[in-house]
Amino acid sequence: MTLPVQDGEIWTFTVRAFDSPIPGHTINVNYDGFAEDVKVGDELLIDGGMVRFEVIQKIGPDVKCLCTDPGLLLPRANLTFWRDGKLVSERNAMLPTISSKDWLDIDFGIAEGVDFIAVSFVKSAEVIKHLKSYIKAHSPNSDIAVIAKIESIDSLKNLEEIIQASDGAMVARGDLGAQIPLEQVPSEQQRIVQLCRQLNKPVIVASQLLESMIEYPIPTRAEVADISEAVRQRGDALMLSGESAMGQYPEKALSVLKSASLRIERSWREQKHHEVIELPSIASSFTGSISEEICNSAAQMANNLEVDALFVYTKNGHMASLLSRCRPDCPIFAFTTTTSVRRRLNLQWGLTPFRLSFSNDMENNLNKTFSLLKARGMVRSGDLIIAVSDILQSIQVMNVP
């Protein structure tokens, strides 16, 4: 439940458990070392500054605080405390990234065959590697991808190694904005998005995209501009959180996010914004280098020839992700034989994936996909398409019959 906080009010932050309803003006903190770590005079920030308090008294597990900047307290809000203008991370820095409860949740996710597991407050690549080895040991045949949530100063310090070790990243701006100055968040968002693209890892921009729609049926113009910036930075996905988890208008918020994103991308394509961007080679083998060159060339040709679609036939999804990385101006249809690969490709920019049985006979593969997409109204006879394949390491240009 959202609670209004007024200037000058005294609130109690406590780690004690209550059997009965929590008393008024009391906030339960799920960080056991809170009362020991905080000091009188510290400044408490809720959700990066949604509400501000000053610590005025400590009584056992209870910390009395004076509201110095009023606002709204949201459920499961993030709390940080600052001392002499600096973020305090004493015992908090020693908390495990993956808790004992998290391991139970991970076991459940593995058993249910989830596609992604996102890890909060990742401090180093070792956390990601440890989780991946655990998944491999408990489910050798699983394709579960691990997403690193970038939401702390430690994440930013070790950003490249974390992204390299992960299968993707999330810019978790709410918690990140509680640990760095708010004015620094946009530039860090852009840095994370660009680095993920360079390293061919999908990136999700999340938190507070349509925050006002938790309580109101329409967004602010500033929120739509924020969505526009995330789309123009070429992130792979935008994610709602509080808007859909506890907001009053979850379906409407999703509709606004979708329509705004599609309109901005359509405008980008109509204006022929062919990006000139240097994408570093990420291949670790000669075969990988061939795939990269094929995809880079196919994307460039697609833009120059103004083709109607790109087709990619891929067994493990890698070639589809390489095409997505190039951000061509036409739709990309990806065909794979594996259901888990098809689901995972949904996260990547511009891809519409299908599970389809195909062979080494490209002509037969093309005829199958032409029939499938024409029946769905996704391509028409006469459309110009480019087809690439990691089966034959080939590239073809043709018209839809």
Side-chain angles (χ1 to χ4, degrees):
M1 183 176 65
T2 302
L3 299 173
V5 182
Q6 303 299 327
D7 191 25
E9 288 182 346
I10 306 294
W11 284 68
T12 300
F13 290 75
T14 182
V15 297
R16 72 169 76 235
F18 292 94
D19 294 327
S20 55
I22 297 178
H25 285 197
T26 302
I27 300 295
N28 192 248
V29 180
N30 63 352
Y31 159 31
D32 290 339
F34 173 71
E36 289 82 7
D37 283 352
V38 76
K39 294 183 178 179
V40 172
D42 285 351
E43 183 179 38
L44 300 189
L45 270 66
I46 309 298
D47 278 341
M50 183 76 77
V51 190
R52 293 174 186 259
F53 294 91
E54 181 186 345
V55 177
I56 58 174
Q57 188 180 20
K58 291 169 57 175
I59 309 170
D62 300 336
V63 177
K64 300 285 185 180
C65 299
L66 171 71
C67 176
T68 57
D69 191 1
L72 294 174
L73 279 175
L74 301 177
R76 298 181 61 82
N78 176 272
L79 183 151
T80 53
F81 53 103
W82 296 67
R83 187 174 302 143
D84 300 324
K86 295 180 180 178
L87 177 72
V88 177
S89 57
E90 293 172 2
R91 188 175 304 184
N92 190 41
M94 303 304 294
L95 292 173
T97 301
I98 303 178
S99 67
S100 56
K101 181 184 180 301
D102 290 335
W103 287 114
L104 294 175
D105 293 338
I106 289 165
D107 288 339
F108 174 80
I110 292 172
E112 294 298 315
V114 299
D115 296 301
F116 302 97
I117 293 176
V119 186
S120 297
F121 295 100
V122 178
K123 300 169 187 173
S124 70
E126 290 307 310
V127 176
I128 301 297
K129 292 174 183 176
H130 181 44
L131 176 55
K132 282 189 166 186
S133 65
Y134 181 86
I135 294 170
K136 191 70 177 173
H138 286 72
S139 183
N141 298 319
S142 82
D143 276 334
I144 297 174
V146 177
I147 305 294
K149 294 180 70 176
I150 309 301
E151 51 190 340
S152 69
I153 293 173
D154 290 328
S155 299
L156 296 177
K157 287 177 182 175
N158 303 306
L159 185 61
E160 185 164 351
E161 70 169 48
I162 290 171
I163 293 174
Q164 283 277 23
S166 306
D167 298 306
M170 181 189 298
V171 189
R173 305 180 307 174
D175 288 321
L176 186 60
Q179 298 216 0
I180 63 174
L182 288 176
E183 63 272 17
Q184 194 178 326
V185 173
S187 59
E188 292 295 350
Q189 173 180 311
Q190 184 167 15
R191 180 166 78 100
I192 297 164
V193 170
Q194 288 179 347
L195 185 56
C196 284
R197 184 175 170 192
Q198 288 172 356
L199 298 176
N200 197 31
K201 303 296 175 80
V203 58
I204 305 161
V205 177
S207 305
Q208 300 174 339
L209 285 164
L210 292 169
E211 187 81 0
S212 69
M213 292 193 73
I214 291 175
E215 297 191 5
Y216 299 102
I218 60 170
T220 66
R221 283 28 172 194
E223 287 169 337
V224 175
D226 181 36
I227 292 170
S228 174
E229 179 60 20
V231 172
R232 291 177 188 278
Q233 287 177 1
R234 315 299 258 173
D236 289 270
L238 305 180
M239 191 180 89
L240 299 176
S241 46
E243 301 93 333
S244 54
M246 63 181 183
Q248 297 184 45
Y249 307 96
E251 291 182 358
K252 199 164 187 179
L254 182 59
S255 176
V256 168
L257 182 61
K258 180 180 178 180
S259 61
S261 302
L262 291 176
R263 181 65 189 89
I264 294 155
E265 287 202 328
R266 186 165 66 250
S267 172
W268 186 277
R269 287 191 171 112
E270 289 169 353
Q271 295 172 34
K272 307 296 180 190
H273 280 297
H274 304 328
E275 292 178 288
V276 179
I277 183 169
E278 289 293 325
L279 294 173
S281 175
I282 55 171
S284 57
S285 65
F286 181 64
T287 303
S289 295
I290 294 174
S291 295
E292 266 190 53
E293 291 298 329
I294 287 173
C295 290
N296 292 344
S297 299
Q300 188 64 50
M301 289 173 63
N303 288 344
N304 292 342
L305 298 175
E306 297 185 3
V307 305
D308 296 289
L310 277 158
F311 288 7
V312 54
Y313 300 86
T314 175
K315 287 190 174 179
N316 59 16
H318 180 61
M319 207 162 190
S321 72
L322 288 173
L323 266 184
S324 170
R325 177 192 190 213
C326 295
R327 306 296 197 257
D329 282 343
C330 64
I332 307 169
F333 297 108
F335 306 97
T336 182
T337 56
T338 311
T339 300
S340 60
V341 172
R342 178 191 64 79
R343 291 203 306 258
R344 202 166 67 243
L345 288 177
N346 276 304
L347 182 60
Q348 301 208 249
W349 184 95
L351 294 180
T352 304
F354 295 89
R355 192 190 69 80
L356 188 73
S357 297
F358 52 75
S359 64
N360 291 339
D361 183 347
M362 275 302 292
E363 186 174 351
N364 183 52
N365 295 338
L366 285 165
N367 288 333
K368 266 188 178 182
T369 48
F370 287 150
S371 298
L372 173 68
L373 296 183
K374 285 170 76 174
R376 295 182 177 222
M378 293 177 160
V379 297
R380 296 174 295 181
S381 295
D383 282 354
L384 183 63
I385 66 111
I386 293 176
V388 300
S389 166
D390 63 11
I391 307 162
L392 303 176
Q393 295 283 37
S394 62
I395 179 169
Q396 296 173 262
V397 184
M398 70 205 71
N399 291 101
V400 177

